[in-house]
Every structure is written in structure tokens, then in C-alpha cells.
Amino acid sequence: MGRDRDADQTFIRHMSAHHAKGTVLARSAAERAKNLHLRELAILMVVSQVGEIRMFGNWRLSWFDTKMADCSTTSAPPCQGAGGAVRRGVRADHEQASHGAARMAEQMLQSDGDPRLHVITYAIRHAQQGEIAPMHGARAAFRLN
């Protein structure tokens, strides 16, 4: 475990809540997207984020001997990206949540937290950048002629 137990707990709690919201949005996109590539991307997002939620849950149980409060879908900040977004559409909600994830990632990387969390933070940040790019250019990037 890292030297900053609070940073580790906070990151696990908040990123788990962020991913839980992300899976809801991605499932919605998988059902509603007209573009096949975006539907497939949404399905991949669900699978990867569910796996990370499970991993965080396992780490949480094995690292901490005290109960940690969960972030809920109604939590106020600092549970960034956990919910409460105004209904503007899946893409807008994902972009808003991604900004919260970026803040969480930066806080983790600047902390003295567990090196495993630093590694997964880089992986999550990279994956989210890869998820957002096609959404911005969906019409041009995925147009099938």
C-alpha cells in the first residue's frame, strides 16, 4: 500500500463511483447508438469498467481494515463524475464525467499513493482518451462508404 492511505481510499471510492456511472451511460449508448462502431465501443467500455470496479473492490477489501463510505449517484463533490448530471445526452454526460476522472487521476498521480493505483491511473486515463476521441469525431471517423 502507498504512504498516503487517504489518497488510496479516496481514489478507489471515487473512481469506482465514476465507473459505475460510466457503465450506466455506456449501456445506454450501446442500446441507442445508431453507429455500429460506437455501439461496440460502448460495450467495450462497459466490460472494461466493470472489470476495474471489481478490481478496485478486491483491493479495497484486502487493503483497508476500516469501512469506507461509498460515493453514491447523489453525492456532492468530491465524488466527481458519480452522477447528478443534467440530462443532455450520453455524449455530454460522458464528457462531463471524464473531466472529473481527469481531476481524480491528477490527484492520484501527485499523491504518495500506492504504485499499483498510479499504474491503473495511467491506464484509465489512456483508455478514456481513446473512448472520447471517436465520440468527438463520430460522423467523420466512422462514416462507412
Side-chain angles (χ1 to χ4, degrees):
M1 183 170 341
R3 288 178 270 168
D4 191 343
R5 181 181 175 94
D6 289 340
D8 292 345
Q9 287 183 338
T10 299
F11 182 79
I12 288 172
R13 279 181 41 224
H14 294 185
M15 192 56 74
S16 295
H18 168 77
H19 278 10
K21 174 70 175 185
T23 60
V24 170
L25 294 173
R27 283 186 174 107
S28 178
E31 293 170 5
R32 296 182 359 196
K34 294 179 179 145
N35 184 288
L36 174 64
H37 292 90
L38 290 179
R39 283 196 313 270
E40 291 173 347
L41 174 63
I43 291 166
L44 289 173
M45 290 167 64
V46 170
V47 170
S48 69
Q49 291 187 1
V50 165
E52 288 170 3
I53 290 169
R54 287 183 182 152
M55 179 185 63
F56 288 137
N58 289 335
W59 283 352
R60 179 179 176 168
L61 291 173
S62 66
W63 291 1
F64 306 110
D65 55 358
T66 59
K67 178 133 174 77
M68 294 188 322
D70 288 323
C71 292
S72 71
T73 56
T74 59
S75 294
C79 290
Q80 301 282 339
V86 175
R87 202 71 223 145
R88 295 176 312 261
V90 171
R91 186 164 99 179
D93 283 352
H94 186 270
E95 289 174 11
Q96 177 185 354
S98 295
H99 294 299
R103 281 190 293 276
M104 285 185 274
E106 287 307 313
Q107 289 170 349
M108 174 47 62
L109 293 174
Q110 292 173 9
S111 78
D112 215 9
D114 191 281
R116 292 166 287 190
L117 290 176
H118 285 236
V119 170
I120 195 66
T121 297
Y122 281 113
I124 289 169
R125 190 166 63 176
H126 181 75
Q128 288 200 333
Q129 289 169 345
E131 294 162 0
I132 292 168
M135 289 184 220
H136 282 292
R139 288 193 177 120
F142 293 115
R143 188 166 308 201
L144 300 175
N145 294 331

